[in-house]
Every structure is written in C-alpha cells, then in structure tokens.
Amino acid sequence: MAEHTPDRDFIEFVSGRVLWLRRIAFLLCEDWHHADDLAQTALTKLYAVWPKARSADNLDAYLRTILVNAYINETRRPLWKRLVTADTGVLLDLPERAPDSDAALDLRAALAKLPPRQRAAVVLRYYCDLSVEQTAAELNCSPGTVKSQTARGLDALRRILQAQPSL
Amino acid sequence: MTGMPEDPGSQLTALTELAAPDTTIDLYKACDDGYRLRLRRRRANRALTGTAAVGVLGVAATVLTIAHSPGPGTHGAGRPAAGQLPAGQQVTPGGQQVAPGGQTSPPTTAGGAPHSPSTASSTPGPGIAQTGGVRVPARFGWLPQAMAFIGEGPSAGTYTAAAGTTRGKAAGQPRVFLAVGDTGPAATSAKIPVAGLGTAAYWVAGKGQSVVPGQADLMWHDPSGKWLTVSGDSLDPATAAATLEHVARTIVVGQAPLPLPIQIRGLTPSALGVNQVVLTHPAPGRTGPSDLNIGLNTASDGLNVFVEPTGTAQGPWTWGTSACKDSDGWNICVVADPRAAAELPGGVDGLLAHIQGLGTDPAHWSADLFAN
C-alpha cells in the first residue's frame, strides 16, 4: 500500500480535542489506559469516514457518538465483563491524589458499578452538558429513556456513595 | 463523601482532573488504521456496486447529462453542491455509508436499533472555487522560526492553516494552527480573557477542561465578524502561550486569493463539487517543494487530485481508479472511487486531460481553479 498522508484538516480538527475525548472516555470506562484505547478507536473510525464526515453539522457530536457507541459495543464482550469484575475498586493508574481526590475516587468507584447505558446517560447529561434530546440522539433512544436512565443512574450513585466508606 | 452532590457535572469534572498517566493516543496511527478501514469499506462497496451495476449506470447517465448542461456558476438540479453528500446518502456515526436504497445496513447499537442520523447530517459546502476562485479569509503573519511549511485551504465552510517544521507527517514536531469560522466559544467553555486582540479574545477550553494558556485554544472575534482560533501542538510549554499570542496578533485578516499550481480547463465548475483544497507551500522566506490536494465529488462519491513536483513518485494507489501525468513541472494524479470515476466524462483519464500545470513559479499560479 502506498504511504498515506493524513488529511490535514482531520489532524487540525482532532488535535485540539484529544484531551476532551480522553476525559469522556475515562468517565465511561473508569480507566485511563482503556480510555486511550476507546479514544483511539473512535478517532480511527472517524478517519475512516472523514472524506464525507468532515461536512457534518456538528463534528464534535459526531465524534462523541462514535466514542459512546464504541464503549457500549465493547461492554457486550465477555472480556470487558471480566475486566470490570477485576478492576472495580482497584485504582492503580493514579500516581497522585489531588486535594479532593478521595471524593472523586469514591465517585469513580460508584460510576464503575452503573450499567453501561446508565453511565453513558449520566456522563453525556452532566459532564458533556447535553440536553435530554441531544443525549437521546447520541444514545439512539427516546428522551423518556434518557430521563429514566439518568434518574436511575443518579439514584444508584447516591445509594452507592452513601453506603461506601471513604477510600 | 456521603452522597451525590447537587451538581453532578462538577463532580464528574473533578474526577477527570485527577492526575492521569500520559496518553498513548496516536493521531497518526488513527489515520493509518482509519485509512486501511476506509480501503476495506471501499472494496466492500465495490462488490456491492458490481451487484447493482445496472442501477448505477442509470444514475451515471443522468449525472453526466446534468454535468454537461449549460448554466455556468449554477449547480445542476438534483446533484449535490460542493461538500454535500448525495441526496439520501449519509454517513452514520458508526462509520458506514448508507446508500439511498439501503444497500448497506446501518450499524446498530447495543440494543440493535439503527443509529439516528441526526448528528451526522451534512450541509452544502461553501462552493469552494465556484465563484471568484479559491480564496482564504486570513493568513499567518509571524511564525516561529522553525516553521518551514504551511498547509492551508478552505473546506466545508471553514478555513484552516497549519504551519509545521516538515511538509509531511509531523508527529511530535511543533505545529501552529489557524482556523477561521463563524462560531465562537461555547457557552459552557471555560475562558480566560486575553488583552490586545479585539473586543472578545480568550484562551478557551471545552467544558470540563482547565484553561491552560498555551495549551488551550486562543479565540478572538474579528471586526470582520469571524471567529479566529490559533492553537499549537508540541510547542515548548514554557513559551507556548507567548508564542501563540504573538502568532495571533500578527494574523493578516482579509479575503485573499490562494493561487494554485494547476488549473482545470474546459469543465464548468458545476460539473464537479469541490469540497477541500489544501495547498502546502514553503513558509515566507523559506524554500522547498509545494504540493496540493484537492477533494472533489461527483453525485455519488469522491475523488482526489494529488499534485506533487515532477519526479515525485505518487502511488500506486490500492483503492479506486487512478491516472497520472506530468504537466509543466508537476506530477498530477486523479484518484477516484469507481463510482465517481464512472460519472466523470471519460473517466479519470478524461478529467486528467482537463488539468494543466501552471509551472513551478508561484507568480504564474492562479486562484481560478476552473478556467475555459
């Protein structure tokens, strides 16, 4: 195969969004290394369709949707289930703790216990600041489902956090 | 911590701001892998195209008729404008192309339902090169000394430029980017005001990100009504903020032609959509080769025109149909998806015959991509 020169407008578009994408991926999968893999997958898929995707109305939403789909699809794999079981509560990739890290780590552990679509709904609504309708579009479900998933997710987080001693 | 706080967003943001290991995300690997994925899908589409040859030929005949209709400066009815997907054709976030006839099944979510295309719809392109030639709304002024090449051009309603130390891949090498568009910072973006760049100028980071001058985007609203954005990659952290602010203050705003080293002669602009032009050339005061990549589209698919100095080995391409020639100092290649090639009068060779090199002296280049 001839050497391929990357489309420059793709590099320009994504170069300022890697951190943003990585953080969303981290909230979805609660592991930085796994987040890198998810983000890498999303960028690869975006580049595969870049000649036509570059004219999408909202490229940020487009890229985020690819990421969320990659995450949800991955959760159906048996390997992911094994990793989650093993990783829950094991927080090895944080070399330092910020001043408020205990609370954040509690939340991270609690997030890990949410079902994938509930977690995605919470992250999209409250971290990405999307409306119910926008979240529904990105998760390909109805606004009512988003409302119920979000409510259940937040309720579950509250219950988990109340029952959990500080790390 | 004993319960979920009132503002879950703040807690989630705090979670992402914990110390994290260095990222292993590799943009250039994503490009390489994505390109291979693109090729595989093209091969799969080609197989589908073969099974529907009769239908495609019918469409192609219609398109050729439209493309040859008189009406300079206007798009033929029923064909997409520059940058626009063909009617009824969309790309889903899952990455598959959905043809009007539904020949390609859309990807499904975990629940098995097809994706909503709502976030993937396309808009007509800006008509690049269709009126008044290829133009840019701003240019770099001062650049760090190491910047030897600039790649710039319009695409899909925006203008982007990238200055780098090398002409090709630049992984790990410092780069400076400029973008011009209509959209300013999002309401939810974190901002730090910047003095001396007009009435509204900020270091901007997306919601959930900390604003670090030099690492964030520098955005300002120009009196022309456009928002300009300067950002950097792999710059020295100690000087990145000052470097980018100086780059921003010396940007030259104003419509200007972007002269190109080739011209398409004898075809009306309405025969082809132009969705991207990227000209890479030496930075001011530097010498070196230039190259050009033009993205075009027919009614159903895309094609590219790659232009490199004569003597540069281009291809062979493992996708699509290609044809190359040397013309006045340039090696010009047309590479088209088979469906696009079928819609070109005379195929890729037919289009190539209409393309003329304009020599290697930029003084002889022209922003008029199309000419009689």
Side-chain angles (χ1 to χ4, degrees), chain B:
Chain B
M1 184 173 182
T2 58
M4 196 67 193
E6 293 297 318
D7 180 7
S10 297
Q11 279 295 314
L12 292 171
T13 297
L15 180 52
T16 66
E17 290 178 345
L18 289 174
D22 290 341
T23 183
T24 58
I25 296 171
D26 184 338
L27 293 186
Y28 291 92
K29 183 177 187 305
C31 292
D32 286 342
D33 293 347
Y35 183 64
R36 290 191 194 93
L37 189 57
R38 202 186 293 173
L39 298 183
R40 283 202 297 273
R41 286 179 178 155
R42 280 193 173 128
R43 282 194 285 272
N45 284 342
R46 202 175 303 161
L48 283 172
T49 304
T51 63
V54 174
V56 170
L57 285 173
V59 172
T62 305
V63 170
L64 285 172
T65 303
I66 294 168
H68 284 115
S69 298
T74 60
H75 290 291
R79 71 174 305 282
Q84 186 180 25
L85 292 180
Q89 192 173 46
Q90 294 166 321
V91 179
T92 71
Q96 288 204 0
Q97 188 173 305
V98 183
Q103 293 172 333
T104 304
S105 298
T108 58
T109 62
H115 283 298
S116 163
S118 58
T119 57
S121 60
S122 64
T123 53
I128 300 164
Q130 309 254 336
T131 53
V134 179
R135 301 179 72 80
V136 296
R139 308 294 286 269
F140 280 123
W142 177 88
L143 282 170
Q145 192 172 14
M147 301 297 163
F149 288 92
I150 296 172
E152 61 178 330
S155 67
T158 61
Y159 163 79
T160 55
T165 57
T166 60
R167 189 164 65 106
K169 288 187 179 182
Q173 296 297 310
R175 306 187 85 195
V176 174
F177 304 101
L178 165 65
V180 182
D182 297 321
T183 307
T188 54
S189 296
K191 299 189 283 284
I192 294 178
V194 177
L197 268 175
T199 54
Y202 311 96
W203 285 106
V204 178
K207 185 180 187 307
Q209 297 183 26
S210 300
V211 182
V212 180
Q215 295 180 22
D217 291 342
L218 178 54
M219 301 185 73
W220 72 102
H221 199 211
D222 184 77
S224 66
K226 296 289 187 182
W227 280 91
L228 285 81
T229 304
V230 163
S231 58
D233 184 27
S234 302
L235 299 176
D236 179 352
T239 57
T243 297
L244 294 177
E245 288 187 18
H246 193 56
V247 167
R249 290 193 175 94
T250 57
I251 294 290
V252 181
V253 179
Q255 289 287 329
L258 181 65
L260 306 176
I262 64 154
Q263 205 163 48
I264 301 173
R265 295 177 174 171
L267 283 179
T268 63
S270 58
L272 289 167
V274 183
N275 53 51
Q276 182 190 25
V277 173
V278 179
L279 174 68
T280 302
H281 56 85
R286 307 296 285 262
T287 58
S290 297
D291 65 67
L292 174 67
N293 179 355
I294 302 176
L296 302 158
N297 60 271
T298 62
S300 65
D301 222 313
L303 62 143
N304 285 81
V305 177
F306 297 107
V307 182
E308 295 272 0
T310 295
T312 305
Q314 295 203 74
W317 285 272
T318 55
W319 59 277
T321 306
S322 62
C324 298
K325 72 174 183 182
D326 285 335
S327 176
D328 207 354
W330 298 98
N331 182 251
I332 304 168
C333 293
V334 175
V335 187
D337 182 276
R339 288 179 299 182
E343 294 168 2
L344 294 170
V348 291
D349 289 304
L351 175 58
L352 190 62
H354 287 279
I355 303 176
Q356 174 67 47
L358 300 180
T360 54
D361 182 354
H364 297 146
W365 297 0
S366 173
D368 292 320
L369 180 58
F370 291 92
N372 292 322

Side-chain angles (χ1 to χ4, degrees), chain A residues 12 20 22 47 57 66 69 140, chain B residues 21 38 93 114-115 123 160 209:
Chain A
E12 289 153 16
W20 167 78
R22 188 187 193 220
Y47 191 76
D57 284 341
I66 294 176
N69 285 338
N140 189 40
Chain B
R38 202 186 293 173
H115 283 298
T123 53
T160 55
Q209 297 183 26

Side-chain angles (χ1 to χ4, degrees), chain A residues 60-75:
Chain A
D60 285 340
Y62 193 95
L63 177 56
R64 189 170 48 222
T65 302
I66 294 176
L67 177 77
V68 172
N69 285 338
Y71 160 70
I72 290 175
N73 287 337
E74 209 172 67
T75 60

